[in-house]
Amino acid sequence: MGEYKLLLRHSGDPSYATLDGYQRQGGYDGLRKALAMDRQQVIDEVKTSGLRGRGGAGFPAWIKWNGLPKEKTKPHYIICNADEGEPGTFKDKQLMETCPFLVVEGMTIAAYATQADVGYIYIRGEFVDAARSMRRAIDEAYRAGLLGRNILGSGMNFDLHIHTGAGSYECGEESALMSSLMGERGMPRLKFPHAPLPTISGLWDSPTLINNVETYACAPFILANGGAWYASIGASTKNSRGTKIFSVSGHVNKPGNYEVEFGTPLMELLEMAGGMKGGELKACVPGGSSVPILNAEACQKAIIGYEEMMEVGSMVGSGGCMFLNEHTSIVDFIWRTSIFYKDESCGKCTPCREGTRWMFLILDRIRSGQGRMEDLQLLEDVCRQIDGRSFCGLGDAAAWPVAGALKVFRHEFEEFIRSGRSLAARA
Amino acid sequence: MSQSSDTPTLRFSPKAVAELESLKTHYPNLKACILPALWIAQREYGGHLPPEAIAEVAFRLKRSPAEVQGVATFYSMYNTEHKPGRHMIEVCTCLTCHVCGASNIVAYLEKKLGIKMGETTPDGMFTLHGVECLNACDRAPLIQVGDEYHGPMDEAKIDALLERLRNEPESKVVALADAIVQVHLKEEEREKARQAAASVQS
């Protein structure tokens, strides 16, 4: 099926990051159309489009958009989650650096649909280039009357601010992000059904919409061309519509971001990225470090789609796709994964704080050649104790890659424990 | 609260004060200004956040120093523990970088600078620091220095980078903090800060 460049079509053109260049390519047609519709019609277009959240969870975007009260009694807020931190993912970075107006326009459309007064783009602190690009775009949009008071003469007011993080993976979790935005430690907050949804009570107890960068960047196209048109892309899949940007890295010849239509085979993505480097394909983590690893056989069968990926035992996730060649030790790779989650666990809840540490300790013992066969069962047990029991998704995300690798590459763990070393890794 | 009576020593420049005043208009309360104010403080205090910096942020935002310290210590980019060297070299050792040779980059940097990860060279020039995914995995193995990403790295590129940084008079740690403060501010807010800085000089 090849690449399907929708969001990234003009990514290589530097003028696309300027308002003039953006408008030459149809920029702000979506907002103009949206402002001529009533709010509910805008939400209905998003519903028709079948757009699902691109941050990792794949939640239908329109349900969030529709969830804010229609009768406004408090300020409404919208947030763009640009705290891209999932290992292997770098799509939001490129979107913000090269297509910043897609994000600004997408957020403005969402603000109109949800009656939001103020928006925040929460960008991770390390992404200075992305933040500078967003800053230039926001400044330009203000100058042109596309942000601020009475946008395009419609009477709509919308202020957009940048707020940066300061080094914390956990802040990509939406409730932790809101804690951080409100000036707290980046820890998750009590969630539905134990607390109201953010759309009812989010930032400062006000109705709040939060979406990923790529999700907002889809909105201008959906409004400009219609939800039905968008839904025709990826229609071969069960319930995934449109395009998805995959950040391909690891042992490939041409690492980079590749945008594909849902329904594209995973192996085509590998081809786009120039094929394997340094050896045959052994494994792939298709959607960021949190999703279960696939072996080469499963990669052959995998189709890119939210449900389709689950059928082969993994997930689309954030689209951080790491291909690993035959010389990679899976034990070593999963050991490194466990370090990440141990370091990034915020410490709020016991299953995640203690569980991620124990997973690391056991994997470290195996990797150092001191592993025992019963460690594998112990690891599985720890995974079970974390999965579904942690306060937020970070715990689940830490357990899945370990549990997945133990299922798919168990023989390699056993081999490692028996011999005390990796037989896969090159000497 | 009684702590408001004892004013800490205030070191924010007029420019920093103007920046903070602008930031206050972005949020409905002062508490939400803690993170951006800490970035201002990290720049104003030369790249780290000693207790005096925390006290100043707390005072200016009418929060307690304990609260601000609690927030600051959560985030890895606020240098609350040690004053880093003039330039902090942050080496990504996370997944993609790990499988693409980050350990060679770490070993070469340690050998070349004669220090271990987490340490600072005796001349105070460089601090080596390992970090988790910087999310530019297409450029693995990757290094961040201040507001710059560098990758894919190899020994020759490290040599060239270190050479350039040695001759860089301005601290990259401070440059990063300043860059982050600037992206928060709108055009007219940056202009206001410039005027505040100029009014002192004249």
Side-chain angles (χ1 to χ4, degrees):
Chain A
M1 297 169 83
E3 272 187 272
Y4 190 117
K5 287 196 175 186
L6 181 64
L7 275 57
L8 294 180
R9 177 178 294 165
H10 304 290
S11 179
D13 170 9
S15 76
Y16 197 62
T18 67
L19 185 56
D20 260 1
Y22 181 66
Q23 291 193 309
R24 264 202 307 278
Q25 305 296 351
Y28 280 101
D29 289 354
L31 178 65
R32 286 193 172 87
K33 283 202 180 157
L35 292 174
M37 298 157 83
D38 60 53
R39 301 177 194 286
Q40 195 58 46
Q41 273 180 293
V42 175
I43 294 170
D44 289 343
E45 284 300 326
V46 177
K47 182 181 182 181
T48 307
S49 77
L51 177 66
R52 294 168 68 173
R54 301 292 193 241
F59 189 78
W62 79 272
I63 296 182
K64 286 190 185 178
W65 289 38
N66 198 42
L68 280 83
K70 312 286 175 188
E71 294 293 322
K72 200 169 154 187
T73 57
K74 282 177 171 180
H76 288 188
Y77 295 103
I78 71 170
I79 304 172
C80 175
N81 185 343
D83 193 44
E84 186 170 54
E86 180 78 1
T89 316
F90 43 93
K91 64 182 177 72
D92 296 340
K93 181 172 189 290
Q94 186 179 344
L95 276 173
M96 289 189 283
E97 286 175 3
T98 62
C99 317
F101 282 101
L102 281 180
V103 186
V104 177
E105 186 189 350
M107 287 187 78
T108 312
I109 292 168
Y112 172 70
T114 58
Q115 303 184 73
D117 311 86
V118 180
Y120 296 95
I121 308 179
Y122 187 106
I123 307 178
R124 66 177 294 177
E126 292 88 342
F127 277 3
V128 177
D129 286 343
R132 282 179 176 143
S133 167
M134 291 309 305
R135 169 47 58 202
R136 281 191 293 269
I138 291 170
D139 285 346
E140 240 192 300
Y142 267 106
R143 257 182 269 141
L146 293 161
L147 282 174
R149 316 292 299 171
N150 193 20
I151 292 172
L152 290 172
S154 66
M156 173 196 176
N157 303 324
F158 178 56
D159 272 310
L160 185 54
H161 301 296
I162 289 175
H163 181 99
T164 73
S168 160
Y169 170 71
E170 175 60 16
C171 288
E173 197 275 347
E174 64 176 28
S175 71
L177 184 151
M178 286 188 243
S179 299
S180 182
L181 189 38
M182 291 188 284
E184 297 174 10
R185 293 168 74 86
M187 287 184 166
R189 310 173 88 78
L190 204 59
K191 280 202 238 347
F192 189 80
H194 309 291
L197 288 164
T199 48
I200 301 298
S201 180
L203 271 186
W204 301 293
D205 299 327
S206 272
T208 304
L209 173 73
I210 177 164
N211 281 136
N212 172 260
V213 172
E214 190 183 351
T215 314
Y216 283 122
C218 293
F221 298 102
I222 292 169
L223 269 295
N225 305 319
W229 167 82
Y230 188 85
S232 71
I233 308 167
S236 69
T237 61
K238 285 196 177 125
N239 202 12
S240 312
R241 296 293 176 266
T243 63
K244 175 83 191 85
I245 305 172
F246 277 82
S247 306
V248 184
S249 72
H251 301 135
V252 295
N253 287 307
K254 289 194 298 176
N257 284 311
Y258 297 91
E259 186 174 4
V260 297
E261 179 176 4
F262 279 112
T264 304
L266 182 64
M267 292 306 281
E268 272 194 37
L269 192 61
L270 176 57
E271 247 169 71
M272 289 170 209
M276 293 302 294
K277 191 170 80 175
E280 295 293 307
L281 172 66
K282 176 176 186 174
C284 171
V285 178
S289 63
S290 304
V291 310
I293 197 164
L294 297 173
N295 60 19
E297 196 191 335
C299 289
Q300 297 287 349
K301 286 187 283 193
I303 300 291
I304 292 169
Y306 291 103
E307 282 70 27
E308 289 75 8
M309 235 20 168
M310 286 172 107
E311 284 166 16
V312 293
S314 195
M315 287 184 278
V316 166
S318 60
C321 186
M322 293 172 269
F323 285 102
L324 305 173
N325 70 21
E326 59 191 310
H327 304 296
T328 314
S329 161
I330 300 300
V331 176
D332 179 68
F333 185 80
I334 295 298
W335 165 82
R336 187 61 189 78
T337 307
S338 76
I339 294 179
F340 175 79
Y341 289 102
K342 165 186 73 81
D343 285 354
E344 297 297 338
S345 172
C346 81
K348 177 167 181 144
C349 75
T350 312
C352 176
R353 183 186 62 241
E354 300 301 320
T356 52
R357 188 175 112 82
W358 279 107
M359 284 199 299
F360 161 71
L361 288 173
I362 299 165
L363 283 161
D364 197 48
R365 174 159 71 197
I366 296 173
R367 185 173 174 271
S368 68
Q370 307 296 309
R372 309 165 308 182
M373 223 32 108
E374 57 266 37
D375 280 346
L376 299 183
Q377 215 184 334
L378 187 58
L379 264 180
E380 281 171 332
D381 193 45
V382 176
C383 288
R384 262 194 304 274
Q385 301 294 342
I386 304 173
D387 191 3
R389 290 179 164 84
S390 54
F391 194 87
C392 80
L394 193 146
D396 305 334
W400 292 336
V402 178
L406 283 170
K407 213 184 290 170
V408 180
F409 288 100
R410 193 177 195 88
H411 55 282
E412 204 170 314
F413 284 86
E414 291 170 352
E415 226 170 61
F416 203 119
I417 291 171
R418 261 194 296 275
S419 66
R421 65 192 176 90
S422 167
L423 302 179
R426 253 189 271 202
Chain B
M1 281 190 286
S2 61
Q3 105 259 344
S4 56
S5 57
D6 41 324
T7 308
T9 314
L10 301 177
R11 277 179 47 183
F12 274 23
S13 61
K15 180 181 172 215
V17 173
E19 287 165 345
L20 184 56
E21 285 310 305
S22 292
L23 278 166
K24 288 177 184 174
T25 66
H26 295 194
Y27 310 95
N29 60 39
L30 292 181
K31 181 178 161 182
C33 297
I34 293 179
L35 267 80
L38 285 168
W39 281 117
I40 297 178
Q42 185 145 300
R43 182 192 69 199
E44 297 289 301
Y45 282 76
H48 77 142
L49 293 169
E52 307 83 72
I54 299 289
E56 177 158 3
V57 168
F59 176 78
R60 291 188 182 278
L61 297 178
K62 301 184 168 65
R63 316 298 303 179
S64 77
E67 178 185 353
V68 175
Q69 177 76 358
V71 173
T73 52
F74 183 83
Y75 300 93
S76 62
M77 294 175 80
Y78 294 132
N79 303 317
T80 49
E81 284 180 31
H82 308 287
K83 185 173 164 64
R86 190 198 289 175
H87 308 304
M88 190 130 82
I89 299 177
E90 318 222 43
V91 189
C92 179
T93 60
C94 201
L95 290 175
T96 300
C97 288
H98 180 65
V99 300
C100 292
S103 57
N104 299 333
I105 301 299
V106 170
Y108 187 71
L109 277 164
E110 287 186 338
K111 193 181 95 190
K112 178 111 185 166
L113 296 175
I115 52 171
K116 294 277 166 209
M117 296 295 273
E119 294 177 352
T120 301
T121 52
D123 61 357
M125 181 69 78
F126 297 112
T127 297
L128 266 185
H129 193 232
V131 288
E132 294 296 348
C133 192
L134 292 170
N135 296 85
C137 318
D138 49 340
R139 292 156 72 185
L142 193 76
I143 283 180
Q144 179 173 24
V145 183
D147 54 349
E148 305 167 5
Y149 273 25
H150 297 278
M153 291 311 281
D154 55 34
E155 295 187 356
K157 283 188 195 164
I158 291 174
D159 289 346
L161 177 64
L162 292 181
E163 194 48 39
R164 177 165 75 74
L165 289 173
R166 275 185 216 283
N167 297 312
E168 176 83 56
E170 200 203 346
S171 159
K172 280 284 168 193
V173 182
V174 173
L176 172 64
D178 184 54
I180 290 176
V181 173
Q182 299 313 315
V183 298
H184 281 83
L185 301 169
K186 290 182 196 152
E187 242 172 347
E188 65 268 23
E189 295 169 340
R190 296 196 300 275
E191 183 51 35
K192 242 187 240 172
R194 262 193 299 274
Q195 284 170 7
S199 68
V200 194
Q201 281 158 8
S202 60

